Amino acid sequence: MAGLFVFVASPAQYSTVGRSIQLSGSVGGAGSGSVSWVSIQLGAGGPTVKPNGRENWSWQGLIPNNIRPGQAFQIIVTASGVIQTKGWPEPEYETVDGQAVLNVVLENVVPELTVDSFQSPVVVTQFPYVFQLEGSASEAKPEIYGVPQVQYRIGNGAFVAASPVIGNAARWTAGVSVATKGDTVITVQASDNFGSVTTVQKTLTVFEYPMPTEVDPNAKKTLAGVPTTSSITSWTRLEPQCSDADIGASSNARLFDPLWLMTRQWQIGEFQGEDTGSPVQARVRATGALLTRCYFGELPSDNKAPPYDPTLEPLEAVVERRRMRPAGADDSRMLTLAVEAGLHFLRMLERNATAKKYRPAFLAHYVLQPPLTLSADDAGRRFVQTMVGRAPDARRLASAFRQPDSSQIVFDAALNIAAADRAPVQQVASAWLAWYDGLFTEPGAPSQDAWMPSRLEYAVSVATRLSADPQDALTFSASEFDGGRLDWSSFDINKTAGVDTTGDVYPIALTETTMPAPVSFHGAPAPRFWELEDAKIAYGLVSAGPADVAQMLMIEYASTYGNDWFVVPLNLPVGSVTRIDSLVVTDTFGVRSLLRPIGDPELPQPFFSLWQVSILRRAGESLGGDISPSERIGAPVPNLFFLPPTLGRTIDGAPLEDVLFMRDEMANMGWGIERSIESAIETPLKLASDPAPADSAPPPSTALPRYRLSTTVPDNWIPLLPVQPNNTDNAVSQLRPGAVLQPNSTAKPQFARSEVLKALSTQWLYDEEVPREGVHITRRRHMTRWIDGSTWVWTAFRSEVGTGEGSAGLRFDQIEDGGRSEQGFD
């Protein structure tokens, strides 16, 4: 049977269309007939519209509201017409139809709704509690969807329309009134003209604490405003003195005169006590986040930093680590490790039935070769002479097994390993290489080195964020870390430069309910009558004069207020930052008290900065003038507890390298004295550190005068010469390491051999980093275990105070004549 052909030109099949749509197409197959009508149905069972035109039709309009955002639906185009089936002798016509079905998806456009954060929990003296609720509401295509309508409701109440902010249609505001205490759910929803709704819920916690009753304004009060009858003649504690050897009368605790006891109670102020109970439960709510980023070195500005997981790596180890293993076969460091690791490779070959037959080949091909230069100490030379030609060299093995372009180990053809045996031998080599690389932790790239040679100290920055709010992005910088224990006090909050933590894992809420434990200390009064107190410390017997204010305050605190403190434990993960949100204490009478953290905006400005992290203050920056105290540079940041991944205990080795920096005012320069360096067998190699004494006996008076170009200096005294920098860092002067050239016609300079001074070849030392007392740098091995049981071994620098000024006795241009010398210049 003949029929019409309906074509849809736009939009395409299975495409995404907007709420405002434009359809076009054509109808064919009518021939000598005609198209009677065309209709468009929007969705199965939806409304029908008439397009413009018939053979070539088009329509533009809005998708109806019954089709939701993101929903797939059909557009059905139907056409009807007549065609001529017979032309002679009389024409005949037949009614025909045609249909096209277009499958499309409506764009997912819904209102975007945000609710600004508000204070919760809050404490009020009476209800209702009124506050301003604000936020924003917008639509992706306002010209089609319009401005969303915002409504809110309190608890299960009815929805109430919010008011748009004048001059900013995207912002809305509402005056909210809460009449019940406890947790109240506030629901806010935004809807557009097509029935799309977005809902956001917030919880408001309100505590009610009525104001205390009025007291006599003329009555005597304590500093806290509590009425009192105490005076300078009152007592806070009575201690009986019994000189009788028989303690029976004292232990009986007989009461002869109740009135006398009541006067004693009045005397020590017991009648002033409030009807309060002891805390039996404490609920802590906090927000915490683990460290997510770590930047090594001084943080110049906002930077990207590699990810860091404090549960896997101790921060001190990754900050202090230095290069340990030799870089190649020509590096003479740690020869003992090269030999021991090579022998361990032979042992691993022996344990494999297939690979052990290639033990002679590996030993012959990678045997330890004689070094280009022998070790400077006798022990090192004997070790080299003993092991050369007898043990494999792990340096050469590691270089051969590491393939920069492939993860699979490729063996040298000279080993003659059969194709069938390559897999077992590769398995042994891979296991040995993983063991060799995991022995020590070292910086893998210059960006992982936190040591700053120009400052003779470490610098590191760690970062995390407590929420998606940019104000909760925190960067902690330790810019002057000398080595040792890297604790929270080593860090400051960096406000001028930060590490980008956008997109990192957001924190979790911490809630812990526990029983408060009373604080105890030596000499505290016993809480029970029959409990014998410790007699080692008796605060009542401490003698104090009229001017001993500190001792009297200590006695007063221990005797009167010592039992007013309680400890509430809070379990926190290592390497986290925590902010206390609320602390609710329940006492024995069932009364719940809300304790606000220090720094709460509704509390007065605190004058307490102990155990709080400060804001980093750089050289030349002001402490702040007209800005608020909380924004001043160097001011403490309240309510922020930083628990860095600090090591508990480390095993430290003997110093392998010892370098002393000192100033020489006579020579107008500084010296880097290499007192010991690491030998090839990983032991300290002592170097002569004292300058050679001058000639003790003067030449005979009859001898001719002689000229001395300069005095000699020990080879391990490396000069630090002052130079003028390029002023890119506003430095006045810097110290550049030089070399010793002895006046013995050898013309062979003696350069630095220690790792500390070699690091200064690219970065010159700031002049102020070598004060008059000097600097003492040591390098040694450290080992520890981390919380996951892993073992960490690394080499680190330690920066300590030096031994003061010194002199190398360096002088130039001297004329020695008959025991008398005329010096030129220093």
Side-chain angles (χ1 to χ4, degrees):
M1 178 182 290
L4 298 180
F5 301 99
V6 180
F7 302 96
V8 180
S10 175
Q13 188 75 254
Y14 302 108
S15 61
T16 300
V17 299
R19 180 70 71 174
S20 177
I21 188 173
Q22 184 173 1
L23 303 173
S24 63
S26 61
V27 178
S32 59
S34 62
V35 178
S36 303
W37 51 267
V38 178
S39 67
I40 301 175
Q41 186 178 22
L42 302 175
T48 302
V49 297
K50 294 294 184 180
N52 298 323
R54 296 178 181 178
E55 284 79 6
N56 295 300
W57 55 268
S58 64
W59 180 82
Q60 183 176 2
L62 298 177
I63 301 297
N65 297 356
N66 64 305
I67 299 178
R68 310 305 303 160
Q71 177 183 345
F73 67 99
Q74 293 180 340
I75 299 177
I76 305 172
V77 183
T78 305
S80 178
V82 294
I83 61 174
Q84 184 177 358
T85 59
K86 186 176 182 181
W88 186 87
E90 294 182 359
E92 296 182 1
Y93 296 91
E94 179 182 356
T95 302
V96 292
D97 298 326
Q99 189 179 78
V101 178
L102 179 66
N103 296 279
V104 293
V105 179
L106 182 59
E107 62 182 357
N108 188 17
V109 177
V110 297
E112 297 180 0
L113 175 64
T114 63
V115 179
D116 296 347
S117 60
F118 50 83
Q119 181 68 32
S120 178
V122 295
V123 180
V124 299
T125 57
Q126 60 182 2
F127 283 101
Y129 169 65
V130 181
F131 72 100
Q132 201 72 12
L133 187 66
E134 298 180 352
S136 62
S138 60
E139 199 86 40
K141 296 181 179 180
E143 68 277 3
I144 299 176
Y145 295 89
V147 179
Q149 302 295 322
V150 180
Q151 295 179 315
Y152 72 94
R153 72 177 180 182
I154 309 301
N156 297 325
F159 279 98
V160 181
S163 302
V165 176
I166 299 176
N168 189 354
R171 298 288 299 177
W172 58 267
T173 181
V176 178
S177 177
V178 179
T180 59
K181 63 180 179 179
D183 296 337
T184 301
V185 178
I186 301 177
T187 305
V188 183
Q189 68 177 19
S191 59
D192 57 17
N193 298 331
F194 297 91
S196 299
V197 179
T198 301
T199 304
V200 175
Q201 287 188 338
K202 296 284 187 177
T203 301
L204 173 66
T205 304
V206 182
F207 297 101
E208 181 185 14
Y209 293 94
M211 293 294 292
T213 58
E214 294 292 336
V215 297
D216 185 4
N218 299 324
K220 182 184 295 186
K221 301 182 182 62
T222 62
L223 294 177
V226 180
T228 180
T229 58
S230 61
S231 64
I232 59 174
T233 60
S234 299
W235 292 265
T236 57
R237 181 179 179 183
L238 299 178
E239 295 186 2
Q241 298 290 337
C242 181
S243 59
D244 194 352
D246 185 10
I247 64 173
S250 300
S251 59
N252 288 336
R254 292 179 295 175
L255 182 62
F256 294 98
D257 191 351
L259 181 60
W260 175 87
L261 179 60
M262 295 180 64
T263 57
R264 283 291 183 258
Q265 289 178 307
W266 171 84
Q267 188 178 29
I268 63 177
E270 289 189 8
F271 295 156
Q272 303 172 15
E274 300 177 356
D275 294 334
T276 58
S278 301
V280 295
Q281 189 184 72
R283 186 191 65 188
V284 181
R285 287 182 176 177
T287 302
L290 287 175
L291 299 177
T292 58
R293 301 283 172 175
C294 182
Y295 184 89
F296 299 100
E298 188 175 1
L299 193 63
S301 59
D302 292 351
N303 282 275
K304 291 284 186 180
Y308 171 66
D309 189 351
T311 61
L312 301 179
E313 295 180 321
L315 186 59
E316 292 177 20
V318 297
V319 170
E320 294 182 341
R321 58 189 178 183
R322 308 294 303 158
R323 291 294 305 174
M324 295 176 56
R325 283 173 296 212
D330 297 333
D331 195 344
S332 60
R333 292 180 299 174
M334 303 184 71
L335 285 180
T336 52
L337 173 66
V339 172
E340 292 292 342
L343 294 176
H344 183 63
F345 177 70
L346 297 182
R347 289 192 291 268
M348 295 179 67
L349 289 175
E350 289 288 343
R351 296 176 63 89
N352 189 288
T354 303
K356 67 178 181 180
K357 60 183 177 181
Y358 296 101
R359 182 182 185 277
F362 276 101
L363 179 59
H365 192 68
Y366 296 105
V367 70
L368 183 65
Q369 300 295 329
L372 298 178
T373 58
L374 292 178
S375 179
D377 58 323
D378 295 337
R381 284 192 293 268
R382 290 193 299 268
F383 180 81
V384 171
Q385 294 172 358
T386 304
M387 293 300 172
V388 165
R390 298 183 179 180
D393 191 347
R395 301 171 299 179
R396 300 176 58 193
L397 284 171
S399 301
F401 291 167
R402 290 195 181 96
Q403 301 295 330
D405 301 331
S406 175
S407 59
Q408 188 175 11
I409 297 177
V410 179
F411 297 108
D412 195 334
L415 296 174
N416 296 323
I417 300 178
D421 299 338
R422 289 177 183 175
V425 179
Q426 285 178 347
Q427 182 179 3
V428 174
S430 300
W432 177 86
L433 187 60
W435 168 83
Y436 182 75
D437 291 338
L439 283 176
F440 314 109
T441 174
E442 300 174 292
S447 60
Q448 299 179 359
D449 191 356
W451 177 255
M452 296 191 302
S454 59
R455 295 293 184 184
L456 297 180
E457 59 196 12
Y458 294 97
V460 64
S461 297
V462 292
T464 185
R465 61 188 312 124
L466 291 174
S467 68
D469 190 350
Q471 299 294 331
D472 284 341
L474 302 172
T475 299
F476 297 86
S477 296
S479 57
E480 298 179 358
F481 177 51
D482 297 332
R485 185 174 180 84
L486 187 62
D487 212 336
W488 68 270
S489 56
S490 304
F491 290 87
D492 296 312
I493 293 183
N494 199 332
K495 291 287 188 179
T496 58
V499 175
D500 186 10
T501 56
T502 304
D504 288 353
V505 179
Y506 289 160
I508 58 175
L510 302 175
T511 302
E512 187 164 339
T513 303
T514 183
M515 181 180 296
V519 176
S520 61
F521 53 90
H522 294 290
R528 299 181 180 180
F529 180 79
W530 295 105
E531 183 178 354
L532 298 179
E533 297 179 354
D534 187 4
K536 294 182 179 179
I537 300 178
Y539 294 100
L541 302 180
V542 175
S543 59
D548 297 336
V549 180
Q551 294 190 24
M552 290 188 290
L553 289 176
M554 184 267 295
I555 298 172
E556 178 74 12
Y557 167 80
S559 303
T560 307
Y561 307 103
N563 58 349
D564 294 342
W565 294 86
F566 292 83
V567 176
V568 179
L570 180 62
N571 296 322
L572 301 176
V574 174
S576 63
V577 180
T578 306
R579 179 176 59 198
I580 302 297
D581 297 328
S582 66
L583 172 61
V584 179
V585 180
T586 305
D587 60 18
T588 52
F589 295 102
V591 178
R592 301 173 64 195
S593 302
L594 173 65
L595 303 181
R596 293 184 173 275
I598 295 177
D600 192 289
E602 296 188 5
L603 296 178
Q605 183 67 27
F607 296 95
F608 181 83
S609 60
L610 192 62
W611 305 307
Q612 295 183 11
V613 184
S614 300
I615 299 177
L616 179 64
R617 176 177 178 266
R618 301 183 183 274
E621 292 180 335
S622 173
L623 290 175
D626 299 334
I627 60 178
S628 62
S630 61
E631 297 178 351
R632 291 179 182 174
I633 300 175
V637 180
N639 192 17
L640 201 63
F641 182 75
F642 179 36
L643 182 61
T646 303
L647 297 177
R649 178 179 296 181
T650 61
I651 300 177
D652 303 335
L656 297 175
E657 187 174 297
D658 191 336
V659 179
L660 181 64
F661 293 84
M662 66 169 52
R663 288 193 174 274
D664 188 350
E665 295 295 340
M666 297 300 297
N668 195 22
M669 65 174 62
W671 295 97
I673 307 173
E674 298 176 331
R675 301 198 289 190
S676 65
I677 60 175
E678 183 180 359
S679 66
I681 58 174
E682 303 180 61
T683 58
L685 178 60
K686 300 295 182 180
L687 302 178
S689 59
D690 296 329
D695 295 340
S696 58
S701 59
T702 58
L704 294 175
R706 60 179 181 176
Y707 168 76
R708 173 174 293 185
L709 177 63
S710 67
T711 57
T712 59
V713 178
D715 293 340
N716 61 320
W717 285 52
I718 306 301
L720 303 175
L721 305 176
V723 295
Q724 185 69 28
N726 53 9
N727 290 329
T728 57
D729 48 6
N730 298 325
V732 177
S733 64
Q734 290 179 290
L735 300 178
R736 178 180 182 181
V740 176
L741 182 61
Q742 303 292 0
N744 53 8
S745 70
T746 58
K748 181 181 179 181
Q750 179 64 38
F751 294 98
R753 291 175 289 177
S754 62
E755 297 293 334
V756 178
L757 292 176
K758 285 181 180 179
L760 293 175
S761 59
T762 57
Q763 300 184 28
W764 297 349
L765 181 62
Y766 286 96
D767 185 74
E768 64 269 16
E769 296 301 330
V770 184
R772 297 187 62 180
E773 59 270 19
V775 181
H776 184 206
I777 305 291
T778 58
R779 183 169 63 91
R780 63 182 70 196
R781 303 271 197 269
H782 302 276
M783 188 186 73
T784 189
R785 284 191 178 273
W786 193 225
I787 56 178
D788 57 355
S790 58
T791 303
W792 293 75
V793 180
W794 71 100
T795 299
F797 288 144
R798 291 288 187 272
S799 180
E800 301 172 345
V801 179
T803 59
E805 296 182 3
S807 177
L810 180 62
R811 291 177 176 83
F812 300 93
D813 296 333
Q814 290 182 317
I815 301 296
E816 298 178 351
D817 184 11
R820 182 184 63 185
S821 63
E822 297 180 2
Q823 301 177 2
F825 59 90
D826 294 339

